[in-house]
Amino acid sequence: MKAVVQRVTRASVTVGGEQISAIGRGICVLLGISLEDTQKELEHMVRKILNLRVFEDESGKHWSKSVMDKQYEVLCISQFTLQCVLKGNKPDFHLAMPTEQAESFYNSFLEQLRKTYRPELIKDGKFGAYMQVHIQNDGPVTVELESPAPGAAASDPKQLSKLEKQQQRKEKTRAKGPSESSKERNAPRKEDRSASSGAEGDVSSEREP
């Protein structure tokens, strides 16, 4: 699942010349649903969108508050073109969820948003319709979000951090050289030194009483 989140001062949706939705200060979310998306990806995206800190706090500190913190509005637009892949210069949308399935999934997404936040502050367009979306981007501030692919836990920043630390420990171990046990295995045996000829044999004989 992909989402493009824009911080806005206002946004609206028009279908057939008629405005069907509008918000003031808040965020506009363009959502692209993929074939592989499940309830897990849906919940992940809802959580990320509502907790994304793109607003300033009361003291003017940037990137401190989410849309829920500020009690602002959310306008959601279903946009399958976010799942585009290019074949040469032509867009291809075979990765997007089919229309019938996607509509039900999108409605579940809206329901989860409203359940998690304030339902009266969640607005949307008209699924499958030809829409004109008017966005007054504030900043501009635009953030791309993508849910982790199924089974790709390593794409989680926390997981990546753990993997990086493990790799660093391995590199430090290699930098210290062979371990004590390795040194013992590689060290020449005493009997070999006493049996050796030449200068080493002389040194061994001198140590004997």
Side-chain angles (χ1 to χ4, degrees):
M1 187 181 296
K2 296 180 180 180
V4 174
V5 181
Q6 300 182 66
R7 187 178 72 186
V8 301
T9 51
R10 64 172 178 263
S12 62
V13 183
T14 300
V15 176
E18 179 184 354
Q19 180 175 293
I20 62 169
S21 270
I23 65 169
R25 193 85 190 274
I27 57 175
C28 180
V29 180
L30 306 177
L31 188 75
I33 304 169
S34 82
L35 275 169
E36 298 182 342
D37 286 333
T38 66
Q39 183 67 22
K40 181 179 179 181
E41 283 74 46
L42 184 155
E43 292 174 358
H44 171 90
M45 190 59 75
V46 167
R47 187 167 59 251
K48 284 294 184 182
I49 288 170
L50 293 179
N51 289 285
L52 183 65
R53 296 186 294 178
V54 292
F55 298 99
E56 60 186 30
D57 64 14
E58 293 72 18
S59 65
K61 183 180 179 182
H62 296 291
W63 321 114
S64 299
K65 297 292 183 179
S66 69
V67 69
M68 286 202 301
D69 294 329
K70 302 292 284 186
Q71 295 292 292
Y72 288 157
E73 295 177 286
V74 180
L75 175 62
C76 291
I77 308 294
S78 176
Q79 188 172 354
F80 72 91
T81 58
L82 286 176
Q83 294 295 338
C84 163
V85 292
L86 291 179
K87 290 187 175 180
N89 293 319
K90 182 181 179 180
D92 179 272
F93 307 107
H94 73 275
L95 295 180
M97 187 177 286
T99 303
E100 299 78 11
Q101 186 182 353
E103 183 172 9
S104 174
F105 195 92
Y106 178 67
N107 288 334
S108 296
F109 173 81
L110 291 174
E111 183 180 344
Q112 186 69 28
L113 274 177
R114 292 180 174 124
K115 187 184 299 183
T116 307
Y117 190 28
R118 294 171 55 189
E120 69 275 14
L121 297 181
I122 305 295
K123 309 291 178 62
D124 72 300
K126 186 176 181 181
F127 186 92
Y130 191 88
M131 296 175 277
Q132 284 75 47
V133 183
H134 307 274
I135 301 171
Q136 186 166 299
N137 195 315
D138 180 32
V141 172
T142 301
V143 178
E144 295 181 9
L145 299 176
E146 186 168 358
S147 60
S155 62
D156 188 330
K158 292 183 180 179
Q159 292 294 328
L160 285 174
S161 179
K162 289 180 182 178
L163 291 174
E164 288 170 358
K165 289 179 180 178
Q166 289 174 2
Q167 185 62 28
Q168 288 172 359
R169 284 197 292 269
K170 288 180 182 178
E171 290 174 356
K172 287 180 180 179
T173 301
R174 284 198 294 268
K176 289 179 181 178
S179 63
E180 291 300 322
S181 58
S182 298
K183 289 179 181 178
E184 290 176 1
R185 285 196 300 270
N186 296 329
R189 297 178 181 178
K190 291 182 180 180
E191 58 269 29
D192 292 340
R193 285 200 297 270
S194 62
S196 61
S197 59
E200 289 185 1
D202 295 337
V203 172
S204 297
S205 62
E206 289 176 1
R207 289 181 179 171
E208 295 176 358

